[in-house]
Amino acid sequence: KDKNEVEKQDFLDAIDRIVGGLENRSKVIKVSEKKAIAYHEAGHATVSWLLEHAHPLLKVTIVPRGKALGAAWYLPQERQITTKEQLLDQMCSVLGGRAAEDLFIGRISTGAMNDLERVTKQAYGMIAYLGMSDKLPNLCYYNNEEYSFNRPYSEKTAELIDEEVKRMVNEQYERAKKILSEHQEGQNQLAQLLIDKEVIFA
């Protein structure tokens, strides 16, 4: 490798340690669990790769780091504003891991907890703060009063927000499953590559 390639790899390795923690190759993972982790991470990678507005993929790994059993690294695009379409593509790619487990393993696991937390919070933000809901368009219920414990909307509106969050997340989950179903062969090849190599780059 030339000097630039070595320096680039050193830089990527340093970012890995800062963001994800040190690799923990001593952690014992059963073959069936390794397969599930590989399909989960390949699901993220496949969906994000095929969506126009998802962040560009850099690296995917199934080597445990800290509490994580696998991870996908992306290069966030610099944006001053973000559109609804871009946010939905990001949500869809985050749900790609759970969708892949569901489709190709036939059961879901606890591995998606962080993903589900992210998309739930994102959906609430899009609907309650950013006015990106068909049923509650152009409304922002953000309450910036420091000592206020009251919601700035009625119970009826709260129920509508909950319904819209469920609808938005479910739509993106079904979209992720559709993308993976249509690209099943490539997804399976990618998952097997992860099982064999453990770390792959874009």
Side-chain angles (χ1 to χ4, degrees):
K1 289 183 178 180
D2 63 32
K3 185 173 181 289
N4 288 338
E5 279 295 308
V6 172
E7 287 179 352
K8 180 181 177 185
Q9 189 57 53
D10 288 342
F11 174 74
L12 289 173
D13 290 343
I15 294 295
D16 286 353
R17 289 191 290 273
I18 293 167
V19 175
L22 294 172
E23 287 185 354
N24 183 7
R25 290 183 179 271
S26 64
K27 187 175 284 188
V28 178
I29 298 175
K30 293 192 297 186
V31 173
S32 61
E33 289 181 336
K34 187 175 182 180
K35 179 182 177 183
I37 296 163
Y39 270 85
H40 182 105
E41 297 305 333
H44 287 310
T46 299
V47 174
S48 66
W49 191 271
L50 293 164
L51 289 174
E52 180 183 357
H53 301 298
H55 295 310
L57 183 70
L58 286 179
K59 173 182 175 179
V60 189
T61 176
I62 58 169
V63 178
R65 288 173 182 275
K67 293 181 180 179
L69 297 176
W73 274 262
Y74 301 91
L75 184 64
Q77 296 167 316
E78 286 191 31
R79 297 167 178 159
Q80 300 306 314
I81 58 171
T82 306
T83 67
K84 181 180 179 181
E85 289 73 25
Q86 290 167 337
L87 289 169
L88 290 176
D89 277 6
Q90 290 170 25
M91 185 182 295
C92 186
S93 66
V94 171
L95 289 166
R98 166 59 68 88
E101 288 183 36
D102 195 357
L103 274 174
F104 304 119
I105 305 295
R107 55 186 179 272
I108 57 175
S109 75
T110 56
M113 179 178 168
N114 181 253
D115 300 333
L116 301 180
E117 180 185 6
R118 284 172 61 195
V119 298
T120 303
K121 287 179 177 177
Q122 182 181 334
Y124 271 104
M126 290 173 68
I127 289 161
Y129 298 161
L130 298 172
M132 291 182 173
S133 161
D134 293 338
K135 293 187 178 178
L136 292 165
N138 307 321
L139 294 171
C140 175
Y141 293 108
Y142 179 69
N143 186 356
N144 63 356
E145 295 176 20
E146 190 173 353
Y147 298 108
S148 174
F149 297 99
N150 297 319
R151 291 183 308 198
Y153 48 82
S154 68
E155 188 60 38
K156 184 177 179 180
T157 299
E159 291 175 5
L160 187 54
I161 290 171
D162 289 343
E163 289 171 10
E164 287 290 271
V165 166
K166 290 176 188 175
R167 180 190 59 77
M168 180 178 281
V169 172
N170 287 338
E171 281 181 359
Q172 295 310 310
Y173 183 65
E174 292 304 319
R175 184 182 175 210
K177 286 176 72 173
K178 184 173 185 289
I179 291 169
L180 290 169
S181 296
E182 290 172 352
H183 297 85
Q184 183 171 346
E185 185 179 346
Q187 159 72 13
N188 290 342
Q189 289 175 357
L190 185 59
Q192 188 58 52
L193 194 63
L194 266 175
I195 292 169
D196 296 340
K197 293 185 175 291
E198 294 190 332
V199 179
I200 56 177
F201 294 86

Coordinates of all heavy atoms in Angstrom, one line a residue, residues 134-168:
D134 N -49.3 14.4 7.3 CA -50.5 14.7 6.4 C -51.7 15.2 7.3 O -52.5 16.0 6.8 CB -50.9 13.5 5.6 CG -49.8 13.2 4.5 OD1 -49.0 14.1 4.2 OD2 -49.8 12.0 4.1
K135 N -51.8 14.6 8.5 CA -53.0 14.9 9.3 C -52.7 16.1 10.2 O -53.7 16.6 10.8 CB -53.4 13.7 10.1 CG -53.9 12.6 9.2 CD -54.5 11.4 10.0 CE -55.1 10.3 9.1 NZ -55.6 9.2 9.9
L136 N -51.4 16.5 10.4 CA -51.1 17.6 11.3 C -50.1 18.5 10.5 O -49.0 18.7 11.1 CB -50.6 17.1 12.6 CG -51.5 16.4 13.6 CD1 -50.8 15.7 14.7 CD2 -52.5 17.4 14.1
P137 N -50.4 18.9 9.3 CA -49.4 19.7 8.6 C -49.1 21.1 9.1 O -50.0 21.7 9.7 CB -50.1 19.8 7.2 CG -51.5 19.8 7.5 CD -51.7 18.9 8.7
N138 N -47.9 21.5 9.0 CA -47.5 22.9 9.3 C -47.7 23.3 10.7 O -47.9 24.5 11.0 CB -48.2 23.8 8.3 CG -48.0 23.4 6.9 OD1 -46.9 23.0 6.5 ND2 -49.0 23.6 6.1
L139 N -47.7 22.3 11.7 CA -47.9 22.6 13.1 C -46.7 22.2 13.9 O -46.1 21.1 13.6 CB -49.1 21.9 13.6 CG -50.5 22.4 13.1 CD1 -51.6 21.4 13.5 CD2 -50.8 23.8 13.5
C140 N -46.3 23.0 14.8 CA -45.1 22.7 15.7 C -45.6 22.8 17.1 O -46.0 23.9 17.6 CB -43.9 23.7 15.4 SG -42.6 23.4 16.5
Y141 N -45.5 21.7 17.8 CA -45.9 21.6 19.2 C -44.7 21.7 20.2 O -44.9 21.3 21.3 CB -46.7 20.4 19.5 CG -48.1 20.4 18.7 CD1 -48.3 19.6 17.6 CD2 -49.1 21.2 19.1 CE1 -49.5 19.6 16.9 CE2 -50.3 21.3 18.4 CZ -50.5 20.4 17.3 OH -51.7 20.4 16.6
Y142 N -43.6 22.1 19.7 CA -42.4 22.2 20.6 C -42.7 23.3 21.7 O -43.1 24.4 21.4 CB -41.2 22.6 19.8 CG -39.9 22.8 20.6 CD1 -39.3 21.7 21.2 CD2 -39.4 24.0 20.8 CE1 -38.2 21.8 21.9 CE2 -38.2 24.2 21.6 CZ -37.6 23.0 22.1 OH -36.5 23.2 22.9
N143 N -42.4 22.9 22.9 CA -42.6 23.7 24.1 C -41.3 24.1 24.7 O -40.7 23.2 25.3 CB -43.6 23.1 25.1 CG -43.9 24.0 26.2 OD1 -43.5 25.1 26.3 ND2 -44.8 23.5 27.1
N144 N -40.8 25.3 24.5 CA -39.5 25.7 25.0 C -39.6 26.5 26.3 O -38.6 27.1 26.7 CB -38.7 26.5 23.9 CG -39.4 27.8 23.6 OD1 -40.5 28.1 24.1 ND2 -38.8 28.6 22.8
E145 N -40.7 26.4 27.0 CA -40.8 27.0 28.3 C -40.1 26.2 29.3 O -40.5 25.0 29.6 CB -42.3 27.2 28.7 CG -43.0 28.2 27.8 CD -44.5 28.3 28.1 OE1 -44.9 27.9 29.2 OE2 -45.3 28.7 27.2
E146 N -39.1 26.7 30.0 CA -38.2 25.9 30.8 C -38.9 25.1 31.9 O -38.5 24.0 32.2 CB -37.1 26.8 31.4 CG -36.0 26.1 32.0 CD -34.9 27.0 32.5 OE1 -34.9 28.2 32.1 OE2 -33.9 26.5 33.1
Y147 N -39.8 25.7 32.6 CA -40.4 25.1 33.7 C -41.9 24.6 33.5 O -42.6 24.4 34.4 CB -40.4 26.0 35.0 CG -39.0 26.4 35.3 CD1 -38.5 27.7 35.1 CD2 -38.1 25.4 35.9 CE1 -37.2 28.0 35.5 CE2 -36.8 25.7 36.3 CZ -36.4 27.0 36.0 OH -35.1 27.3 36.4
S148 N -42.2 24.5 32.2 CA -43.6 24.1 31.9 C -43.7 22.6 31.8 O -42.8 21.9 31.1 CB -44.0 24.7 30.6 OG -45.3 24.2 30.2
F149 N -44.6 22.0 32.5 CA -44.8 20.5 32.4 C -46.1 20.2 31.6 O -46.5 19.0 31.7 CB -44.9 19.9 33.8 CG -43.6 20.1 34.6 CD1 -43.4 21.2 35.5 CD2 -42.5 19.3 34.4 CE1 -42.3 21.3 36.2 CE2 -41.3 19.5 35.0 CZ -41.2 20.5 36.0
N150 N -46.7 21.1 31.0 CA -47.9 20.9 30.3 C -47.6 20.7 28.8 O -46.8 21.4 28.2 CB -48.9 22.1 30.4 CG -49.3 22.3 31.8 OD1 -49.6 21.3 32.5 ND2 -49.4 23.5 32.3
R151 N -48.3 19.7 28.2 CA -48.1 19.5 26.7 C -48.9 20.6 26.0 O -50.0 21.0 26.5 CB -48.7 18.2 26.3 CG -47.9 17.0 26.8 CD -48.5 15.7 26.2 NE -49.9 15.6 26.6 CZ -50.6 14.5 26.5 NH1 -50.0 13.3 26.2 NH2 -51.8 14.4 26.8
P152 N -48.3 21.2 25.0 CA -49.0 22.3 24.3 C -50.1 21.8 23.3 O -50.3 22.4 22.3 CB -47.9 23.1 23.6 CG -46.9 22.0 23.3 CD -47.0 21.0 24.5
Y153 N -50.7 20.7 23.6 CA -51.8 20.2 22.7 C -52.7 19.3 23.5 O -52.4 18.9 24.6 CB -51.2 19.4 21.5 CG -50.1 18.4 21.9 CD1 -50.4 17.1 22.4 CD2 -48.8 18.7 21.8 CE1 -49.5 16.2 22.7 CE2 -47.8 17.8 22.1 CZ -48.1 16.5 22.5 OH -47.2 15.6 22.9
S154 N -53.9 19.1 23.0 CA -54.9 18.3 23.7 C -54.6 16.8 23.6 O -53.8 16.3 22.9 CB -56.3 18.6 23.0 OG -56.3 18.0 21.7
E155 N -55.4 16.1 24.4 CA -55.3 14.6 24.5 C -55.7 14.0 23.1 O -55.1 13.0 22.7 CB -56.3 14.0 25.5 CG -56.1 12.5 25.8 CD -54.7 12.2 26.2 OE1 -54.1 12.9 27.0 OE2 -54.2 11.1 25.8
K156 N -56.7 14.6 22.4 CA -57.1 14.2 21.1 C -55.9 14.3 20.1 O -55.7 13.4 19.3 CB -58.3 15.0 20.6 CG -58.8 14.5 19.3 CD -60.1 15.3 18.9 CE -60.6 14.8 17.6 NZ -61.9 15.6 17.2
T157 N -55.2 15.4 20.2 CA -54.1 15.7 19.3 C -52.9 14.7 19.7 O -52.3 14.2 18.8 CB -53.5 17.1 19.4 OG1 -54.6 18.0 19.0 CG2 -52.3 17.3 18.6
A158 N -52.7 14.4 21.0 CA -51.7 13.4 21.4 C -52.0 12.1 20.8 O -51.1 11.4 20.3 CB -51.7 13.3 22.9
E159 N -53.2 11.7 20.7 CA -53.6 10.4 20.1 C -53.3 10.4 18.6 O -52.9 9.4 18.1 CB -55.1 10.1 20.4 CG -55.4 9.8 21.9 CD -56.9 9.6 22.2 OE1 -57.6 9.6 21.2 OE2 -57.2 9.4 23.3
L160 N -53.6 11.5 18.0 CA -53.4 11.6 16.6 C -51.9 11.6 16.3 O -51.5 10.9 15.3 CB -54.0 12.9 16.1 CG -54.0 13.2 14.5 CD1 -54.6 12.0 13.8 CD2 -54.7 14.5 14.2
I161 N -51.1 12.2 17.1 CA -49.6 12.2 16.9 C -49.1 10.8 17.0 O -48.3 10.3 16.2 CB -48.9 13.1 18.0 CG1 -49.2 14.6 17.6 CG2 -47.4 12.8 18.0 CD1 -48.7 15.5 18.7
D162 N -49.6 10.0 18.1 CA -49.2 8.6 18.2 C -49.6 7.8 17.0 O -48.8 7.0 16.5 CB -49.9 8.0 19.5 CG -49.4 8.6 20.8 OD1 -48.3 9.1 20.8 OD2 -50.1 8.4 21.8
E163 N -50.8 8.0 16.5 CA -51.3 7.3 15.3 C -50.4 7.6 14.1 O -50.0 6.7 13.3 CB -52.7 7.6 15.0 CG -53.7 7.1 15.9 CD -55.1 7.6 15.7 OE1 -55.3 8.3 14.6 OE2 -56.0 7.4 16.5
E164 N -50.0 8.9 13.9 CA -49.2 9.3 12.8 C -47.8 8.7 12.9 O -47.2 8.3 11.9 CB -49.2 10.8 12.7 CG -50.4 11.4 12.1 CD -50.6 11.0 10.7 OE1 -50.2 11.8 9.8 OE2 -51.3 10.0 10.4
V165 N -47.2 8.6 14.1 CA -45.9 8.0 14.3 C -45.9 6.6 13.9 O -45.1 6.1 13.2 CB -45.5 8.2 15.8 CG1 -44.3 7.3 16.1 CG2 -45.1 9.7 16.1
K166 N -47.0 5.8 14.4 CA -47.1 4.4 14.1 C -47.2 4.2 12.6 O -46.5 3.4 12.0 CB -48.3 3.8 14.7 CG -48.1 3.7 16.2 CD -49.4 3.1 16.8 CE -49.4 3.2 18.4 NZ -50.7 2.8 19.0
R167 N -48.0 5.1 11.9 CA -48.2 5.0 10.5 C -46.8 5.2 9.7 O -46.5 4.5 8.8 CB -49.2 6.0 10.0 CG -49.5 5.9 8.5 CD -50.4 7.1 8.0 NE -49.8 8.4 8.3 CZ -48.8 8.9 7.6 NH1 -48.3 8.3 6.6 NH2 -48.3 10.1 7.9
M168 N -46.1 6.3 10.1 CA -44.9 6.6 9.4 C -43.9 5.5 9.6 O -43.2 5.1 8.6 CB -44.4 8.0 10.0 CG -43.1 8.4 9.4 SD -42.5 10.0 10.0 CE -43.5 11.1 9.1

